[in-house]
């Protein structure tokens, strides 16, 4: 099947993402400081922290939507540099879901899902459509396939966005606050899809404040503030015995309501 | 304990007194003393001017005959006889006005144009892509062959003898056809991250946009030949086409740039995150949305171009307007300028209004945000 991913370039047991000594500045502002992070295949990571802590910037560096000035990021054996070809090679294997969905409003739901497989993976149109319908069924909206994004609710749009990423058969999925632009009634339907994805063993990095989701699926929870990773641990320990003062304060503020 | 069940109230129609024509008249024309007086004044002015015009233009007008004696016998009516007798000249220029046997050539050319255009305007017409492709590639060649005549073994009508609506059409068609792709590239270039390309596009756009078209045409006519060896003749119509295209592409580029800057950053990012490269992002994601937003601006520049073709009179070419003017100044028809202007005005208006309406139809068709489509 031509839509299946190419052979992975990494050996068994090696991390699929390796970030070493990452530093990034926006002009004079030092937004990421000395980040080291390794993600194993199949690992599910939740990243939380106050706004401005650099958590979104960090995951946006992983598919080079943001460029970094120092350190190295290696994704699936490919180092991210200025080289456009390498960047596109990485992006092909890394799916991303955005806070504001970013569906293509001039294309139908089905076309949103088949565009990249057809033009990037060179999948035949028929086959791409079959795959897309399979994923749309999985996110439980196959009946909306021929509608335009503007005709769907926020929750439905975000589920289409997830399906769109999955159609590329990615090795890693990045979620950038996928539920924070949604009405409360729609958050559950999106989280359900994400839990299902986690259960199937997808490597996931989620920036989110849904702590229930973190407890349920995360292998590791990372807390960031001021551009640094302050603390990381398994969810059980992270929530019950945070080691850092700052983490404790953050958790008490978001969990008290 | 029983639970309450939520039963939504049924929706009702709005009250009668707020809808219907009578309510509209009351709300819009007579809702205060001032508004009522203004309305009455306007109706009075319409009554004062419209009936005499209709009488002059239609009821008492002269339609038949072959010379001015008919019109001179009935000066209270418009002299459409003039338009009638000089129609070939006004529509197709001096050559076809003087050679009635050859008039079939432009007529066939325009029939071909409209037979391709009309299917493109009909919604749900199959094979639209192919018809559009034929319009952009085969049609210009066939049209040229028909009008010029050499390739089809007919008497030659040199471009310098093209005129009237034919010339207006040729200049506008070529101008639009070339200015659109050029404008797209310039708009993309102006937003490029590569400094050299960006600077070149900015210079180009600002230069051509900052120069009046009349100056450009004049320079093309007078200055250009000075740079080439003596005796080297440059076709005047081609020079006008180049000038108009350069000028127009700068305006089109700015209209499109407006659309490009309206596309949210998230669209670029989502396309990039899927692994689409620059050109695929641009062609599949960014341009379709940007062009849709720019339609009113683009059509606006095209309408302006269509009318600006009259400026070619500065280099001695006679478009629709100038041809009608020169016909109305001939000895046979001296003094019937008004009829000539009205007729050309009507043709210009029909085409410009047609473009405007069509752009509105496309806009509505492309509006995917409506819930009812």
């Amino acid at each position: 099947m031509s839509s299946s991913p190419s052979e992975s370039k990494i050996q068994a047991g090696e991390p699929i993402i390796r970030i070493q000594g990452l530093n990034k500045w926006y002009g004079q502002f030092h937004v990421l400081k000395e980040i080291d992070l390794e993600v194993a295949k199949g690992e599910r990571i939740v990243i939380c922290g106050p706004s401005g802590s650099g958590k979104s910037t960090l995951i946006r560096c992983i598919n080079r939507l943001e460029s970094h000035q120092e350190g190295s990021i290696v994704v699936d054996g490919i180092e991210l540099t200025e080289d456009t070809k390498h960047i596109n090679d990485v992006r092909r294997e890394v799916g991303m879901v955005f806070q504001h969905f970013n569906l293509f409003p001039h294309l139908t739901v089905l076309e949103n899902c088949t565009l990249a497989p057809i033009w990037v993976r060179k999948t035949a149109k028929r086959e791409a459509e079959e795959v897309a319908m399979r994923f749309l069924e999985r996110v439980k909206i196959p009946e909306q396939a021929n509608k335009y994004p503007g005709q769907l609710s926020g929750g439905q749009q975000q589920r289409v966005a997830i399906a769109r990423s999955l159609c590329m058969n990615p090795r890693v999925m990045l979620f950038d606050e996928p539920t924070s632009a949604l009405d409360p009634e729609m958050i559950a339907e999106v989280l359900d899809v994400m839990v299902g994805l986690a259960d199937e063993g997808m490597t996931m990095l989620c920036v989110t404040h849904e702590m229930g989701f973190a407890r349920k699926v995360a292998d590791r929870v990372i807390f960031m503030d001021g551009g640094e990773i302050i603390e990381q641990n398994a969810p059980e320990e992270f929530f019950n015995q945070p080691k850092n003062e700052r983490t404790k304060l953050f958790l008490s503020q978001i969990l008290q309501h | 304990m029983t639970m309450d069940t939520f039963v939504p109230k049924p929706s009702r129609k709005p009250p009668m007194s707020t809808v219907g024509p009578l309510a509209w008249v009351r709300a819009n024309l007579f809702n205060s003393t001032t508004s009522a007086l203004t309305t009455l004044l306007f109706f009075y002015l319409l009554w004062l001017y419209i009936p005499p015009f209709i009488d002059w233009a239609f009821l008492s007008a002269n339609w038949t005959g072959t010379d001015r004696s008919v019109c001179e016998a009935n000066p209270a009516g418009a002299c459409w006889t003039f338009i009638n007798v000089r129609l070939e000249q006004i529509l197709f220029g001096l050559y076809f006005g003087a050679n009635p046997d050859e008039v079939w050539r432009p007529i066939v050319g325009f029939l071909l144009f409209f037979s391709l255009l009309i299917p493109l305007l009909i919604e749900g017409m199959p094979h639209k892509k192919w018809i559009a492709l034929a319009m952009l590639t085969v049609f210009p060649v066939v049209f040229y062959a028909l009008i010029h005549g050499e390739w089809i073994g007919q008497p030659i009508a040199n471009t310098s003898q093209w005129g009237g609506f034919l010339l207006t059409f040729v200049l506008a068609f070529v101008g639009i056809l070339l200015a659109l792709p050029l404008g797209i590239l310039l708009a993309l270039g102006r937003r490029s991250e590569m400094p050299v390309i960006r600077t070149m596009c900015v210079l180009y756009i600002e230069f051509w946009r900052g120069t009046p078209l009349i100056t450009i045409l004049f320079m093309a006519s007078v200055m250009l030949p000075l740079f080439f060896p003596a005796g080297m003749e440059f076709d005047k119509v081609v020079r006008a086409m180049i000038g108009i295209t350069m000028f127009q592409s700068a305006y089109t580029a700015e209209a499109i740039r407006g659309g490009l800057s309206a596309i949210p950053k998230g669209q670029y990012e989502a396309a990039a995150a899927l692994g689409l490269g620059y050109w695929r992002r641009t062609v599949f994601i960014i341009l379709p949305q940007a062009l849709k937003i720019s339609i009113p601006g683009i059509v606006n520049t095209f309408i302006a171009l269509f009318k600006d073709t009259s400026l070619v009179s500065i280099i001695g070419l006679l478009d629709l307007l100038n041809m009608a003017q020169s016909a109305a100044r001939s000895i046979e028809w001296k003094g019937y300028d008004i009829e000539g202007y009205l007729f050309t005005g009507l043709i210009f208006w029909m085409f410009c209004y047609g473009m405007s309406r069509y752009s509105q139809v496309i806009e509505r068709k492309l509006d995917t945000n409506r819930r009812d489509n």
Side-chain angles (χ1 to χ4, degrees), chain A residues 164-182:
Chain A
R164 177 176 70 178
S165 286
L166 293 177
C167 284
M168 282 295 281
N169 225 327
R171 292 179 208 282
V172 179
M173 284 287 285
L174 307 172
F175 292 85
D176 189 1
E177 306 206 30
T179 56
S180 48
L182 293 176

Side-chain angles (χ1 to χ4, degrees), chain A residues 97-101 103 109 136 139-141 143-144 149 151-163 178-194, chain B residues 371:
Chain A
V97 176
F98 299 86
Q99 181 178 2
H100 295 289
F101 333 132
L103 293 178
V109 164
L136 286 174
V139 300
K140 303 194 182 67
I141 33 175
E143 73 283 358
Q144 313 282 8
Q151 297 167 292
L152 306 184
S153 72
Q156 288 172 323
Q157 290 194 45
Q158 194 60 301
R159 284 184 282 151
V160 172
I162 296 173
T179 56
S180 48
L182 293 176
D183 287 342
E185 282 188 322
M186 295 167 181
I187 291 177
E189 64 189 48
V190 171
L191 288 180
D192 282 347
V193 171
M194 290 168 64
Chain B
R371 298 220 159 210

